[in-house]
Amino acid sequence: MKILIAGGSKSGKSDYAQTLALTLAGPGRRFYVATMIPFDAEDQARIASHRARRAGLGFETVEEPRHLLRCLENGPGAYLIDSVTALLTNALFPQEKDYRFSPKEGERCLSELLAFARQTEDGVFVMDLIFSDSCRYPAETEHFRRLLGAAGRRLAALCDTVLEASAGRIFIHKGALPK
Amino acid sequence: MVLIFGGAYQGKKDFVLAQFGLKKDDICVCSPENAPDFTKKCLANAENFVWYCLNRGVDEMNYFRCNSALFEDKIFIFRDIFCGVVPLSKEERAWREATGRVMQYLAGKADRVSRIFCGLEQRLK
């Protein structure tokens, strides 16, 4: 079963996604796909807090901020991708290119994400919502929003269940929760 | 009348095309500079039409109230521009507020109101 969960900052989407991944895994393996490439101490702290919240839950951490399909070499299990936003950010503004805007790499990343979603049996995809304001962003930021929007729509079409998180509660847009 | 809204890049126009059996040519994408083509079935980016009204000193609520007959069979698509930080510029603040008022008015009149989220419909009315 595949699940997309989207929400704003601190909406509880990551915590809920962990619970979903545990349910999907049952007694089987569960993989936490770590997607963030830390930029500074603030990012390090965020990573530490995410680690602490999943400690003792039996997740195997897979560091794969670039090539999602490589994760599948770990074999069957429930994959938690937290987050789609970070994956696309890493691709579109690559650290090794001094964060220079790389639209082709962004497209490649989206294709790989969708290929991964098609190939994996059990997966939970976490995504941010950055689409509901009146700002006029620079072209590169707008490109990022468009790419993340496309990722959301296409994952939603592929996934069995689509959820929106806010204030730690969830709304079901499609399908049902795993039993 | 139908009111469709949702964040940017959520698939609002594609939803309308599929749901109401329209062709791309049936949709007028509103711009802030020009008056929309009211012969079209669907007015997309209607938030831009509100900007167009404000720019010309037209009272947007009065306009929609006086012309409600014109809109009875229309499908309106609005972008959700309401969840960000209050805009710094006075014009954008006025635009955001006016758009919100128009949407509430149209939602009251509409037979169907839906929010589009990742291409999926959340029916609100």
Side-chain angles (χ1 to χ4, degrees), chain A residues 4 6-7 127 129 131-136 142-143 145-146 149-150 152-153 156-157 162-164 171 173-174, chain B residues 6-12 14 51 79-87 92 95-96 115 117-122:
Chain A
L4 171 67
M127 193 186 108
L129 295 177
F131 309 106
S132 298
D133 62 21
S134 64
C135 292
R136 282 148 211 236
E142 201 56 47
H143 187 104
R145 295 203 327 149
R146 193 180 310 120
R153 295 194 312 273
V162 178
L163 307 173
E164 182 177 6
F171 179 85
H173 283 279
K174 176 184 177 182
Chain B
Y9 313 117
Q10 296 303 297
K12 301 182 287 295
D14 283 346
W51 185 278
R79 182 161 61 93
D80 180 353
I81 54 170
F82 309 104
C83 297
V85 174
V86 176
E92 285 188 29
W95 169 56
R96 201 167 76 145
R115 174 185 177 230
F117 179 87
C118 293
L120 304 168
E121 179 186 23
Q122 181 182 11

Side-chain angles (χ1 to χ4, degrees), chain B:
Chain B
M1 191 213 301
V2 173
L3 175 66
I4 303 291
F5 72 97
Y9 313 117
Q10 296 303 297
K12 301 182 287 295
K13 285 200 285 291
D14 283 346
F15 172 81
V16 165
L17 290 174
Q19 188 72 30
F20 299 98
L22 300 186
K23 298 187 190 69
K24 277 191 176 159
D25 194 45
D26 297 321
I27 297 182
C28 166
V29 177
C30 300
S31 87
E33 292 87 23
N34 302 303
D37 179 355
F38 287 114
T39 65
K40 304 281 188 185
K41 176 76 179 167
C42 172
L43 299 174
N45 289 101
E47 72 282 359
N48 287 341
F49 175 56
V50 176
W51 185 278
Y52 171 86
C53 291
L54 293 180
N55 239 353
R56 273 149 193 81
V58 174
D59 180 323
E60 76 289 344
M61 287 307 292
N62 195 37
Y63 176 85
F64 275 92
R65 282 199 191 102
C66 294
N67 293 282
S68 58
L70 191 64
F71 302 132
E72 262 172 17
D73 300 323
K74 299 290 180 210
I75 301 166
F76 284 96
I77 304 178
F78 281 85
R79 182 161 61 93
D80 180 353
I81 54 170
F82 309 104
C83 297
V85 174
V86 176
L88 281 176
S89 99
K90 193 177 171 186
E91 287 75 21
E92 285 188 29
R93 280 201 301 280
W95 169 56
R96 201 167 76 145
E97 284 174 23
T99 305
R101 282 193 295 269
V102 168
M103 262 181 67
Q104 286 195 40
Y105 172 75
L106 293 177
K109 294 272 175 197
D111 307 300
R112 174 172 175 174
V113 179
S114 296
R115 174 185 177 230
I116 306 300
F117 179 87
C118 293
L120 304 168
E121 179 186 23
Q122 181 182 11
R123 188 87 172 245
L124 300 178
K125 180 178 179 183

Side-chain angles (χ1 to χ4, degrees), chain A residues 10-26:
Chain A
K10 292 288 157 289
S11 59
K13 58 190 184 303
S14 287
D15 284 348
Y16 199 79
Q18 276 181 21
T19 309
L20 291 168
L22 292 178
T23 308
L24 291 185

Side-chain angles (χ1 to χ4, degrees), chain A:
Chain A
M1 183 181 190
K2 292 164 224 183
I3 303 172
L4 171 67
I5 178 164
S9 172
K10 292 288 157 289
S11 59
K13 58 190 184 303
S14 287
D15 284 348
Y16 199 79
Q18 276 181 21
T19 309
L20 291 168
L22 292 178
T23 308
L24 291 185
R29 295 172 77 186
R30 71 271 336 238
F31 300 103
Y32 179 89
V33 182
T35 52
M36 185 184 242
I37 300 174
F39 174 73
D40 54 13
E42 193 178 322
D43 284 349
Q44 296 286 9
R46 189 171 292 125
I47 288 171
S49 126
H50 272 246
R51 269 199 193 125
R53 286 210 299 279
R54 66 175 188 273
L57 298 176
F59 278 101
E60 298 173 53
T61 299
V62 182
E63 300 279 349
E64 196 47 82
R66 289 254 182 264
H67 297 285
L68 209 46
L69 282 172
R70 285 185 196 155
C71 295
L72 294 174
E73 291 166 11
N74 290 288
Y79 285 87
L80 170 53
I81 314 299
D82 192 356
S83 65
V84 171
T85 320
L87 273 175
L88 293 178
T89 308
N90 298 340
L92 208 52
F93 305 100
Q95 191 179 45
E96 68 277 11
K97 288 186 190 165
D98 230 3
Y99 304 100
R100 263 202 311 279
F101 178 56
S102 308
K104 276 193 184 149
E105 193 51 23
E107 289 304 321
R108 187 209 58 75
C109 179
L110 175 56
S111 301
E112 186 167 7
L113 168 68
L114 297 171
F116 174 88
R118 281 187 211 100
Q119 289 176 38
T120 189
E121 197 75 27
D122 293 306
V124 182
F125 299 87
V126 180
M127 193 186 108
D128 291 78
L129 295 177
I130 54 165
F131 309 106
S132 298
D133 62 21
S134 64
C135 292
R136 282 148 211 236
Y137 292 99
E140 294 177 356
T141 310
E142 201 56 47
H143 187 104
F144 169 63
R145 295 203 327 149
R146 193 180 310 120
L147 193 68
L148 188 63
R153 295 194 312 273
R154 299 184 65 181
L155 281 173
L158 273 169
C159 284
D160 306 288
T161 295
V162 178
L163 307 173
E164 182 177 6
S166 39
R169 315 298 300 170
I170 58 143
F171 179 85
I172 303 172
H173 283 279
K174 176 184 177 182
L177 297 175
K179 295 226 167 68

